[in-house]
Amino acid sequence: MRDIVLISDPRVTAIPVEESGERLADVRGRLRVDGRMADSEGAFAHLREGLLARLEGAQTQLPPGYRLLVVEGYRPLVTQQRIFEEYSAELRLVFPEMSPEEICVAASRYVSPVEVAPHTAGAAVDLTLCTEDGDELDMGTPLNATPEQSDGACYTDASGLSSEARHHRGLLGTALRSAGLVNYPTEWWHWSYGDRYWAMTTGAASAVYGPTSI
């Protein structure tokens, strides 16, 4: 993890946002969507239009027979805060010696602090690959596996993966990077465009998507 910049890093949090005002768009009907993270309002299936258009472009870059499977996009602020607090509480039980500041940093490997979270901007998508029939492909860990649950295999470039899982991660990454998205390297499934982490990774002067609502 030594070379990984976490989303809680000041190099990320200090980046300004110049909000574009771009609307949230419904992914359903445009890409394949999985309902495991569905909420009653359907927020999970929304993304900024610019990000969704890039995902549609990425889909065309996959080999025949492979499909993107969107699991979660937009996440309301209250949901983001709840997930961050719940995971932080888990870490405090496992690592009681950690200070509150260290817990915050450790938690940001898996879930963003709410003040910088790209999901609340509709700028991040959690997704995987499936077949034309909808069967999910082996990616090495389940989507949303924590570093503790997966023994670090959730990291995009983790060692010890099967050749099949490594191949699938490579296919996903090549398609998404070609469309301008960036990966959060502690989560193979998390990709974003237009948020602060994207700006830090690409050298953009500012993010173009900040917190929004349906």
Side-chain angles (χ1 to χ4, degrees):
M1 200 178 83
R2 184 170 45 195
D3 298 326
I4 292 176
V5 178
L6 295 175
I7 202 163
S8 58
D9 192 290
R11 286 172 286 182
V12 181
T13 60
I15 293 172
V17 177
E18 295 186 8
E19 175 59 56
S20 69
E22 190 176 285
R23 71 183 184 94
L24 288 168
D26 199 327
V27 181
R28 294 167 292 190
R30 296 176 63 174
L31 290 172
R32 190 164 295 190
V33 178
D34 178 272
R36 78 190 74 171
M37 300 299 292
D39 59 285
S40 59
E41 302 299 321
F44 82 105
H46 287 74
L47 293 168
R48 295 290 187 132
E49 177 62 41
L51 172 52
L52 178 50
R54 284 169 173 78
L55 289 175
E56 290 177 314
Q59 176 62 64
T60 68
Q61 299 304 307
L62 289 171
Y66 291 88
R67 305 288 293 179
L68 296 177
L69 181 63
V70 174
V71 175
E72 188 177 21
Y74 174 72
R75 189 183 292 160
L77 286 166
V78 64
T79 304
Q80 183 72 30
Q81 185 65 38
R82 175 180 57 79
I83 296 171
F84 187 82
E85 290 176 355
E86 289 175 349
Y87 183 52
S88 295
E90 290 179 19
L91 290 175
R92 282 192 290 273
L93 290 175
V94 177
F95 305 107
E97 74 281 3
M98 281 189 175
S99 68
E101 293 76 17
E102 290 171 328
I103 290 291
C104 182
V105 171
S108 71
R109 298 169 304 157
Y110 177 69
V111 57
S112 302
V114 68
E115 60 271 15
V116 71
H119 279 288
T120 65
V125 60
D126 295 340
L127 77 174
T128 187
L129 290 177
C130 67
T131 66
E132 290 285 358
D133 294 329
D135 297 324
E136 287 188 45
L137 298 173
D138 178 15
M139 304 297 284
T141 75
L143 187 147
N144 280 339
T146 69
E148 292 74 37
Q149 291 166 341
S150 67
D151 194 25
C154 60
Y155 284 32
T156 306
D157 292 331
S159 60
L161 298 176
S162 69
S163 58
E164 183 178 35
R166 177 62 62 198
H167 174 65
H168 292 154
R169 289 192 190 188
L171 288 178
L172 182 67
T174 296
L176 294 173
R177 289 188 183 94
S178 74
L181 278 69
V182 302
N183 173 242
Y184 193 48
T186 60
E187 301 175 333
W188 61 258
W189 57 84
H190 178 105
W191 294 78
S192 66
Y193 174 85
D195 64 306
R196 286 187 174 101
Y197 202 84
W198 164 86
M200 186 277 298
T201 303
T202 63
S206 63
V208 296
Y209 302 144
T212 188
S213 58
I214 294 289

